[in-house]
Amino acid sequence: MDAPPTRNAETRRAQLMTEIIAGVEVPETAAVAEATRHIREMTSPLIFHHSRRVFFFAALHARDVGLRPDPELLYLSAIFHDLGLLTPFSDVEQRFELDGADHARKFLLDRGFPATAADVVWEAIALHSTPGIPGRMGPEIAATHHGVLTDVQGVGLDKLDRGLVDEITAVHPHGDFKNGFLQALLEGTRDRPDTTYGTISADVLVHFIPGFRHVSMVERVMGSAWPS
């Protein structure tokens, strides 16, 4: 008698993909469906729609530049990437990007994904707001980062087919995203300001909190325990 099939990446990808927006298929796997429900329930509509748009923009970018990310891992990276703004992973005070990455890693491992897949998603989320580095890494990491840049800062938006963009935003409206997203960043980091040192979130705190400033790198070096 043949051994029962094991759950792996090939069997996950074998499931039908039926949701198509802007020519991008959403992997219709159990993990994708569960993650979508989880993020819809755990986050605000603004973060949910943003996370889904990031997936579609990431997939379009990957297609344009010849990247071939695993569609399921790309989706899970995008859908979880901002969860840490609203749901800290543990009592450890850390960057919101790490909270989101830790949530995603646990989600994947608890559902039988190999550690290598969980690590890819972790890196894509942990690095999604870091300038310069993700684009030089694997396809899921690079594509997630570009999807975030497109939806948050409009990077590469002018290179996308306007009809495809309109199709995405018809399903996941952009609305007053600029103000809403900056407010979400503020609310998600203002109680852990030290974790924003050296990150883009520091700019948000400086802008919205009167008198806020981090100790600068120069001050940290000059104030170190070394005598010279």
Side-chain angles (χ1 to χ4, degrees), residues 182-183 185-187 189 200-209:
L182 289 174
Q183 189 65 31
L185 281 175
L186 174 63
E187 295 303 322
T189 57
I200 61 170
S201 298
D203 294 339
V204 176
L205 298 187
V206 169
H207 182 85
F208 287 103
I209 299 178

Side-chain angles (χ1 to χ4, degrees), residues 5 17 24 43 53 61 71 102 129 136 139 151 167 195 222:
M17 296 180 176
V24 176
T43 68
R53 290 194 306 270
H61 170 71
D102 288 345
S129 64
R136 305 287 290 273
D151 200 54
E167 189 174 341
T195 68
M222 296 305 292

Side-chain angles (χ1 to χ4, degrees), residues 7-153:
R7 183 182 186 281
N8 55 36
E10 296 302 320
T11 58
R12 288 198 304 274
R13 282 196 291 266
Q15 299 187 47
L16 292 176
M17 296 180 176
T18 57
E19 184 184 13
I20 303 175
I21 300 174
V24 176
E25 297 177 332
V26 176
E28 198 169 285
T29 67
V32 164
E34 186 178 355
T36 302
R37 289 193 300 270
H38 183 67
I39 298 303
R40 188 190 292 273
E41 294 170 359
M42 296 296 293
T43 68
S44 65
L46 181 138
I47 294 298
F48 173 75
H49 289 301
H50 163 59
S51 300
R52 289 266 296 185
R53 290 194 306 270
V54 164
F55 166 70
F56 292 110
F57 290 140
L60 291 177
H61 170 71
R63 181 185 301 169
D64 287 346
V65 300
L67 295 176
R68 299 184 63 184
D70 179 294
E72 186 177 33
L73 298 186
L74 180 61
Y75 185 93
L76 295 174
S77 299
I79 203 71
F80 275 103
H81 84 277
D82 273 343
L83 179 59
L85 280 173
L86 290 90
T87 310
F89 180 77
S90 68
D91 292 334
V92 175
E93 190 173 276
Q94 59 184 3
R95 289 177 55 166
F96 84 86
E97 297 95 335
L98 298 183
D99 278 331
D102 288 345
H103 275 296
R105 189 210 296 271
K106 184 177 188 304
F107 179 91
L108 268 69
L109 293 178
D110 286 351
R111 285 151 186 82
F113 283 78
T116 51
D119 287 345
V120 166
V121 173
W122 190 92
E123 290 174 3
I125 297 171
L127 293 170
H128 80 262
S129 64
T130 300
I133 296 174
R136 305 287 290 273
M137 299 183 70
E140 296 82 10
I141 301 166
T144 299
H145 177 63
H146 194 85
V148 170
L149 286 178
T150 298
D151 200 54
V152 175
Q153 299 181 29

Side-chain angles (χ1 to χ4, degrees), residues 186 189-199 201-215 220:
L186 174 63
T189 57
R190 70 186 310 161
D191 292 333
R192 42 179 163 171
D194 289 345
T195 68
T196 69
Y197 172 71
T199 77
S201 298
D203 294 339
V204 176
L205 298 187
V206 169
H207 182 85
F208 287 103
I209 299 178
F212 177 83
R213 67 180 295 271
H214 278 294
V215 176
R220 290 170 188 258

